[in-house]
Amino acid sequence: MPKYTNQERKGIIMLLVVALMALMGPQLVLYYASKNQVPLVITNIPFDTLSVSDVDYKTDNNWNDWSDWDNKGDDKRDDEINPYKVKERFTFNPNTINYDSLLRLGFSTVSAKTLIKARDGGFVFRKEKDLLKIYNIDSNLVQSLSLYVKYDLGLVKNEFVALTYPKAQIEIIEINSADSSQWEQLPNIGAGTIYKINKHKKALGGFISINQLKEDKIVNDTVFDAIIPYLTVDKSKIKKLNINIAVFRDLIKHPYLDAKAINAIVNYREQNGGFKDPKDIRKIISLSKTVGAKILPYLGVE
């Protein structure tokens, strides 16, 4: 038997330890890794696919509360477990059907659970495509049930139902006497437009035509077309200017008169001893026919 020195013995022992670690090391690493593996939790996935693997188990809808369906500690997969051996056929609404009835139709327990959980979480089934989003669903089963499924949303809890109300009857208004509240009940009319209408009416002395609402873009064409069916005008309500006594500062306030037109009217009045008839303004040569036609309804001699 060969003799080894102490240093040689230590070297041999070290080699044996290294060899043993090389053989056993990978197995030890895998063993401890499997013991300490952290399960993957996927959160905040939009509920579009209705897959058990994609569901956020931290939501307020208690998707992780399966105590009503599963036995605690039972790790056995129940994808295909179904106590009903014969598939039944009857009309059903996926938004209201219960768990037992889903099994009778042929759903697996996992698919039935996922459908119920999805529905309790607020998902609404509106078409066949929605059923196909259910985890582990049998597409052939869905197709075979197409004649029996009824998507009656009227029975869905918390489903928003749009209510229709009769439209309020719009009052016909006379534009020279209407107040702001009457204008407000007309379609597409806002406070700003009402202010401009009243301001223009005051400056004119009243309206003689509904079309005057379009002057100076007070009311645009779209609004005008919407409100014209509800408008009337009473010409007798306008306030007239007495051109025999009105002074410059009174006449200049009218939107249809400028300084040139006013001077022409005043000069004619002084030269002819006043106006006998408002139509006499047609005799003023320097007054344009356009201005004369617009201002004439607002002129008086008394």
Side-chain angles (χ1 to χ4, degrees):
M1 181 175 180
K3 295 182 180 180
Y4 299 99
T5 64
N6 288 336
Q7 187 174 359
E8 289 175 332
R9 291 192 188 98
K10 291 180 180 180
I12 293 171
I13 293 172
M14 289 297 296
L15 287 173
L16 291 174
V17 171
V18 171
L20 182 63
M21 289 180 64
L23 291 173
M24 300 298 296
Q27 286 78 5
L28 291 174
V29 170
L30 290 175
Y31 174 77
Y32 284 106
S34 63
K35 286 291 185 179
N36 297 288
Q37 184 176 3
V38 178
L40 176 63
V41 178
I42 301 176
T43 60
N44 299 324
I45 302 296
F47 191 71
D48 290 329
T49 60
L50 303 186
S51 170
V52 168
S53 62
D54 291 341
V55 172
D56 181 357
Y57 292 98
K58 297 181 180 180
T59 63
D60 293 335
N61 294 327
N62 294 320
W63 278 79
N64 58 333
D65 183 8
W66 289 66
S67 57
D68 294 339
W69 310 105
D70 296 337
N71 294 322
K72 294 182 178 180
D74 188 1
D75 294 328
K76 183 179 180 180
R77 287 182 60 84
D78 60 353
D79 295 33
E80 302 302 329
I81 297 175
N82 189 324
Y84 298 96
K85 302 303 180 183
V86 179
K87 296 179 182 179
E88 300 180 34
R89 289 295 174 262
F90 49 85
T91 302
F92 72 99
N93 181 356
N95 294 299
T96 57
I97 191 172
N98 60 35
Y99 174 73
D100 185 69
S101 296
L102 287 170
L103 297 183
R104 288 167 56 197
L105 287 169
F107 281 73
S108 70
T109 53
V110 169
S111 296
K113 292 171 186 177
T114 307
L115 188 150
I116 298 295
K117 289 292 183 179
R119 198 174 65 200
D120 291 345
F123 188 83
V124 178
F125 296 91
R126 303 176 186 274
K127 51 191 175 182
E128 183 176 309
K129 186 177 180 181
D130 292 336
L131 281 175
L132 292 173
K133 296 177 181 178
I134 294 297
Y135 172 72
N136 205 40
I137 194 71
D138 184 349
S139 59
N140 292 327
L141 173 64
V142 174
Q143 185 176 2
S144 69
L145 294 173
S146 60
L147 296 177
Y148 302 93
V149 63
K150 303 295 181 183
Y151 301 96
D152 186 359
L153 301 183
L155 299 176
V156 180
K157 293 182 179 180
N158 300 323
E159 180 72 8
F160 174 77
V161 179
L163 301 178
T164 57
Y165 299 92
K167 293 183 178 180
Q169 186 175 0
I170 298 177
E171 176 188 354
I172 304 296
I173 67 172
E174 194 284 307
I175 60 176
N176 281 322
S177 56
D179 58 24
S180 295
S181 62
Q182 290 175 294
W183 284 106
E184 287 173 355
Q185 52 106 28
L186 299 181
N188 303 328
I189 285 285
T193 301
I194 296 172
Y195 172 79
K196 289 189 290 184
I197 290 172
N198 288 330
K199 182 179 179 180
H200 193 52
K201 178 178 70 175
K202 183 179 179 181
L204 288 171
F207 297 108
I208 60 172
S209 170
I210 294 173
N211 288 326
Q212 287 176 288
L213 294 174
K214 298 170 69 175
E215 293 178 347
D216 297 328
K217 298 182 180 179
I218 293 172
V219 175
N220 63 44
D221 290 339
T222 302
V223 174
F224 184 80
D225 291 341
I227 67 176
I228 192 171
Y230 311 106
L231 305 180
T232 61
V233 60
D234 184 354
K235 299 178 183 179
S236 67
K237 294 184 179 294
I238 66 173
K239 296 179 180 179
K240 296 190 175 184
L241 291 167
N242 187 338
I243 53 176
N244 281 325
I245 60 174
V247 296
F248 185 90
R249 66 174 176 271
D250 296 325
L251 295 171
I252 197 65
K253 295 177 183 178
H254 201 283
Y256 295 162
L257 292 175
D258 57 17
K260 181 180 178 180
I262 294 170
N263 287 330
I265 292 172
V266 172
N267 289 336
Y268 182 91
R269 181 177 68 191
E270 292 176 351
Q271 292 172 4
N272 294 276
F275 294 92
K276 295 179 180 179
D277 189 295
K279 294 179 181 179
D280 289 344
I281 64 170
R282 295 172 179 170
K283 301 176 183 179
I284 303 174
I285 298 175
S286 59
L287 186 66
S288 72
K289 292 182 179 180
T290 301
V291 173
K294 291 177 67 175
I295 192 63
L296 181 58
Y298 293 97
L299 302 180
V301 293
E302 295 180 356

